[in-house]
Amino acid sequence: MLYYLFEYLEQQFQFPGASLFGFLTFRAAVAIILSLLISTIFGKRIIRFLQKQQVGETIRDLGLEGQVEKSGTPTMGGIIIILATLIPVLLLAKLENIYIILLIVTTLWMGTIGFIDDYIKKFKNDKDGLKGRFKVLGQVGLGIIVGATLFFHNDVTIKEKLPIQQQKELLAENPDLPPSKLFKAEEKSTKTTIPFMKSNEFDYSDLITWISPNLEKYAWLVFIIVSIFIITAVSNGANLTDGIDGLAAGTSAIIVLTLGIFAWVSSNIVFAEYLDIMYIPRVEEITIYIAAFVGALIGFLWYNAYPAQVFMGDTGSLTIGGIIAVIAIAVRKEWLIPVLCGIFLAENLSVMMQVSYFKYSRKKYGEGRRIFKMSPLHHHYQKSGYHESKIVTRFWIVGILLAIISIVTLKIR
């Protein structure tokens, strides 16, 4: 909204300083500052409100150090993250941008699912919360919306570079040719990026056109199925990672900041030409959303770092996972998720391995056996005697390493 106000002031009155809002970097900087202020200043008030409503976490005694002391800590703190993200976005982003619209829908959609889950746990005295099938149904619904929108909307396009020989001919004629002239026209495409591969582009339509070229018209169905899988996997991964103070918020901030770099370079035709990557028009506006989201996560850490004054609950964790998944799909880096979101993947796999082996060993040996002392993975290290603040810090370090590896894939193929 402020963006449109200052755009009008600049066009009509040449208002001093109004032109700053035309710069993406300025709006991103304001977004992260504003979200930090909202989450830290108003976060305390929200925590007090949650305490008055007696929205305290009920802790099951699992034999973990310091666990009992956390009983009664306010949950549903994800509301802080959601508000601190959406307010700056509504003020500073171009709201007609399809990517911004999708991310706002994602935030509200997943936030609602998480809120209902937390509400049932606290006010309906049902420790299991929202039934798993309804959570999955909500994730599938969002996947259908995101996949269909990104496939069919006219503003979702890419620009590919011209063939090498054609580029050489153009540059031979005019060495000062701008990078934009080395790209083809905008086109709809189901192409994405595969890391570490020399020819790093993959078209989802190839998954069915090898059977028959006539099946290309059904590529939208493949893309939607992929979107559903990614959104479900990442949101559940973020949900499982939210188990000790500061782990999910800190890890997610690292991931989202990295995705911001990908959005930045993918939307800049000069960087796209230099790095030889896919150019995605209009995706630069995601940078505003990412800046606000990172600020909200870091601001939330002010209260969520050990010892936590508030937990994000499913309201926060499902929302975080959904947003990360949608950003990754939008910037066409979803195949990088196993690396970039390696912490989420490890947490997911630890639970799957633990449950599967327990069932297998119980059937084969008559008693259930475990691979880990406890799952998800962070609880295994707690059971091993590590303090949770040390576990969180080390997971952050691993997350930073994975982020660096992910960024390096821009050039290493």
Side-chain angles (χ1 to χ4, degrees), residues 21 98 103 106 113 137 144 179 182 193 229-230 276 299 303 402:
F21 281 81
I98 186 58
L103 285 169
T106 298
I113 294 173
L137 187 62
I144 293 172
L182 300 176
T193 307
F229 175 78
I230 292 167
D276 193 23
Y303 301 106
L402 294 173

Side-chain angles (χ1 to χ4, degrees), residues 100-404:
I100 293 295
I101 293 171
L102 265 184
L103 285 169
I104 291 174
V105 169
T106 298
T107 303
L108 295 175
W109 186 287
M110 296 303 293
T112 300
I113 294 173
F115 180 84
I116 293 171
D117 183 59
D118 289 334
Y119 182 87
I120 292 173
K121 287 177 182 176
K122 293 313 306 170
F123 296 103
K124 300 298 181 181
N125 296 319
D126 185 350
K127 64 181 181 180
D128 294 324
L130 186 65
K131 300 300 181 185
R133 60 180 177 273
F134 293 118
K135 283 186 186 179
V136 172
L137 187 62
Q139 292 163 338
V140 169
L142 180 62
I144 293 172
I145 292 171
V146 171
T149 302
L150 291 177
F151 185 89
F152 291 108
H153 200 280
N154 291 330
D155 285 346
V156 180
T157 60
I158 66 167
K159 270 190 173 186
E160 293 188 280
K161 294 187 75 172
L162 294 167
I164 297 295
Q165 187 59 39
Q166 191 174 347
Q167 291 182 48
K168 289 179 178 178
E169 291 174 1
L170 289 171
L171 289 171
E173 294 175 6
N174 183 8
D176 298 323
L177 195 70
S180 59
K181 300 298 182 181
L182 300 176
F183 285 79
K184 300 176 184 178
E186 289 184 34
E187 61 178 352
K188 299 286 296 177
S189 176
T190 52
K191 287 185 178 180
T192 189
T193 307
I194 301 181
F196 305 111
M197 303 291 288
K198 187 172 181 63
S199 299
N200 69 333
E201 291 182 1
F202 173 75
D203 197 328
Y204 285 118
S205 64
D206 292 343
L207 293 173
I208 53 175
T209 52
W210 66 272
I211 302 172
S212 170
N214 296 327
L215 293 176
E216 187 174 2
K217 59 185 177 182
Y218 297 109
W220 63 271
L221 188 58
V222 175
F223 187 72
I224 288 175
I225 291 171
V226 171
S227 298
I228 290 170
F229 175 78
I230 292 167
I231 289 171
T232 303
V234 179
S235 58
N236 286 334
N239 189 231
L240 289 173
T241 304
D242 180 34
I244 51 180
D245 300 348
L247 180 57
T251 303
S252 300
I254 295 166
I255 293 169
V256 176
L257 193 58
T258 307
L259 287 172
I261 294 172
F262 286 124
W264 177 267
V265 298
S266 297
S267 64
N268 187 300
I269 202 161
V270 177
F271 288 142
E273 192 278 329
Y274 173 71
L275 295 169
D276 193 23
I277 60 175
M278 189 184 295
Y279 171 57
I280 311 173
R282 291 171 292 278
V283 83
E284 71 276 358
E285 206 62 22
I286 286 182
T287 310
I288 306 299
Y289 202 102
I290 288 172
F293 191 40
V294 169
L297 288 169
I298 295 173
F300 180 75
L301 272 174
W302 185 272
Y303 301 106
N304 185 240
Y306 181 86
Q309 296 170 256
V310 65
F311 299 140
M312 68 172 66
D314 282 12
T315 305
S317 60
L318 289 177
T319 303
I320 287 171
I323 291 173
I324 289 173
V326 172
I327 293 173
I329 297 169
V331 298
R332 309 195 183 223
K333 295 292 184 291
E334 65 272 19
W335 285 65
L336 197 58
I337 284 176
V339 179
L340 180 57
C341 300
I343 299 296
F344 293 174
L345 178 63
E347 298 279 26
N348 257 331
L349 288 177
S350 68
V351 173
M352 293 168 63
M353 291 166 62
Q354 186 88 320
V355 172
S356 299
Y357 186 69
F358 186 86
K359 290 180 178 179
Y360 168 78
S361 58
R362 184 171 59 185
K363 184 177 180 180
K364 184 171 183 179
Y365 304 111
E367 62 174 0
R369 299 178 182 180
R370 294 173 172 82
I371 300 172
F372 305 100
K373 294 180 179 179
M374 189 175 177
S375 65
L377 187 60
H378 55 264
H379 286 324
H380 168 79
Y381 290 111
Q382 278 188 285
K383 283 282 191 179
S384 299
Y386 292 93
H387 192 275
E388 62 180 280
S389 60
K390 182 179 287 292
I391 298 169
V392 169
T393 303
R394 289 183 174 176
F395 271 52
W396 285 357
I397 293 170
V398 173
I400 292 169
L401 176 62
L402 294 173
I404 293 170

Side-chain angles (χ1 to χ4, degrees), residues 47-63:
I47 292 170
R48 287 173 182 166
F49 173 78
L50 293 173
Q51 288 172 331
K52 287 181 181 178
Q53 299 301 314
Q54 297 182 335
V55 188
E57 185 72 60
T58 302
I59 304 293
R60 288 181 293 176
D61 189 3
L62 300 174

